[in-house]
């Protein structure tokens, strides 16, 4: 099933962002979480290729999926890797019985994810990574889910390719490296906030993202300020309370 109203709103928001200046890591971080809700799947993740042509985790809707994204790289096997290598959609509707992924399949099932659907992020002959959708129950995506998954994969590619032909290669390299560098900072900040505030990694990420949105800042900026001790974790708690209650801090 698809949340039609949510899908329309999300498409509008990403279309508006595309014609403005944007931070790629913020866009991909938002996309993973939003797709989970709009497509009514258990979660979503994005992986991009680095300068060494190796896939690296960039964004996921929760920590279980981050582990599974990293696991595909570790095992050198999985729908995401296959989608990246073949530049074709790879659907695994039942990982309990999929001979293509004998190592990854059982590990994903043990983690509670029984189906994975991967869309390559590609433009002509160049493949940048993959967008992955996860489900906790076996079964195929319905037609609307499949089409919207493909549409948002194309949107992700547009963000990567934004710019003129002459600037394309340089911009893609810069955007990809920037997103990967941002991810390192964000992971450090998530770990620090979780340890300091006694919350889960997922909750720590929501605190960072909530503070960035509430104050009109880039996620990377907030993460950097936390890691470099310019932003006290008490401020993250304060923002979280304000956002959750809908009250003003003034």
């Amino acid at each position: 099933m698809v949340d039609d109203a949510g899908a329309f709103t999300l498409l509008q928001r990403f279309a508006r962002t595309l014609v403005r200046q944007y931070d790629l890591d913020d866009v991909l971080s938002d996309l993973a979480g939003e797709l989970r809700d709009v497509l009514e799947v258990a979660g979503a993740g994005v992986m991009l290729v680095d300068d060494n042509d190796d896939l690296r985790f960039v964004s996921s809707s929760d920590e279980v999926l981050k582990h599974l994204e990293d696991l595909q790289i570790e095992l050198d096997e999985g729908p995401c890797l296959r989608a990246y290598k073949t530049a074709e959609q790879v659907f695994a509707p039942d990982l309990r019985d999929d001979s293509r992924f004998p190592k990854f399949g059982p590990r994903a099932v043990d983690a509670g994810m029984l189906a994975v659907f991967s869309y390559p992020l590609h433009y002509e002959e160049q493949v940048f990574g993959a967008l992955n959708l996860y489900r906790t129950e076996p079964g195929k995506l319905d037609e609307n889910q499949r089409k919207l998954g493909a549409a948002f994969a194309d949107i992700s590619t547009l963000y990567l390719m934004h710019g003129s032909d002459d600037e394309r290669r340089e911009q893609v390299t810069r955007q990809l490296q920037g997103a990967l560098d941002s991810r390192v900072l964000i992971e450090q900040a998530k770990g620090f906030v979780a340890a300091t505030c006694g919350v889960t990694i997922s909750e720590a990420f929501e605190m960072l993202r909530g503070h960035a949105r509430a104050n009109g800042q880039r996620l990377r900026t907030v993460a950097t300020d936390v890691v470099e001790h310019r932003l006290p974790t008490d401020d993250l708690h304060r923002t979280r309370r304000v956002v959750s209650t809908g009250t003003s801090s003034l």
Side-chain angles (χ1 to χ4, degrees):
M1 298 293 290
V2 170
D3 175 2
D4 292 331
F8 180 73
T9 299
L10 185 59
L11 283 168
Q12 280 188 315
R13 181 155 63 84
F14 278 94
R16 287 196 301 269
T17 305
L18 189 59
V19 297
R20 304 171 183 170
Q21 288 189 339
Y22 58 86
D23 181 82
L24 182 62
D25 190 72
D26 285 353
V27 169
L28 296 180
S29 293
D30 285 345
L31 181 64
E34 298 283 1
L35 281 182
R36 175 190 57 198
D37 300 329
V38 167
L39 298 184
E40 297 186 2
V41 293
V46 178
M47 300 181 75
L48 297 178
V49 65
D50 63 17
D51 291 340
N52 297 318
D53 291 330
D54 294 322
L55 277 181
R56 289 176 56 185
F57 157 80
V58 172
S59 175
S60 71
S61 55
D62 61 54
E63 290 303 304
V64 172
L65 300 190
K66 176 184 180 300
H67 168 69
L68 292 179
E69 302 274 273
D70 287 338
L71 187 61
Q72 294 190 61
I73 299 174
E74 177 186 332
L75 298 176
D76 194 28
E77 175 189 289
C80 176
L81 287 178
R82 186 178 288 255
Y84 167 66
K85 291 177 179 178
T86 64
E88 296 179 353
Q89 297 176 5
V90 177
F91 292 171
D94 192 346
L95 287 170
R96 298 173 302 180
D97 183 27
D98 195 321
S99 59
R100 296 174 296 175
F101 312 114
K103 293 182 290 185
F104 173 75
R107 301 281 288 274
V109 171
D110 287 344
M113 296 297 167
L114 275 63
V116 184
F117 308 89
S118 298
Y119 297 85
L121 307 180
H122 64 96
Y123 176 81
E124 295 182 346
E125 301 299 320
Q126 193 170 3
V127 185
F128 307 108
L131 168 68
N132 310 299
L133 306 177
Y134 291 83
R135 292 177 60 177
T136 56
E137 298 179 355
K140 299 179 180 179
L141 298 175
D142 65 33
E143 183 178 2
N144 286 338
Q145 288 173 314
R146 292 196 306 272
K147 288 181 177 179
L148 275 174
F152 280 108
D154 289 341
I155 288 172
S156 299
T157 302
L158 283 174
Y159 276 101
L160 297 172
M161 298 303 301
H162 191 48
S164 67
D165 289 339
D166 291 340
E167 298 172 338
R168 182 169 292 144
R169 181 175 297 276
E170 179 182 351
Q171 180 172 0
V172 168
T173 300
R174 185 173 63 252
Q175 292 263 42
L176 289 176
Q177 192 58 51
L180 294 171
D181 290 344
S182 292
R183 179 51 49 184
V184 173
L185 278 169
I186 292 167
E187 291 300 313
Q188 290 176 341
K190 284 162 58 178
F192 178 79
V193 171
T196 303
C197 300
V199 298
T200 67
I201 293 292
S202 295
E203 289 171 331
F205 177 66
E206 290 304 320
M207 290 170 68
L208 291 166
R209 186 164 65 171
H211 188 86
R213 287 180 172 179
N215 292 279
Q217 294 179 295
R218 293 169 54 186
L219 182 60
R220 175 172 179 163
T221 300
V222 174
T224 301
D225 287 346
V226 168
V227 170
E228 297 182 357
H229 306 294
R230 291 193 297 267
L231 176 61
T233 54
D234 285 347
D235 287 0
L236 300 181
H237 273 303
R238 189 175 302 111
T239 300
R240 190 184 193 187
R241 287 196 298 271
V242 170
V243 171
S244 63
T245 60
T247 58
S248 172
S249 59
L250 296 177

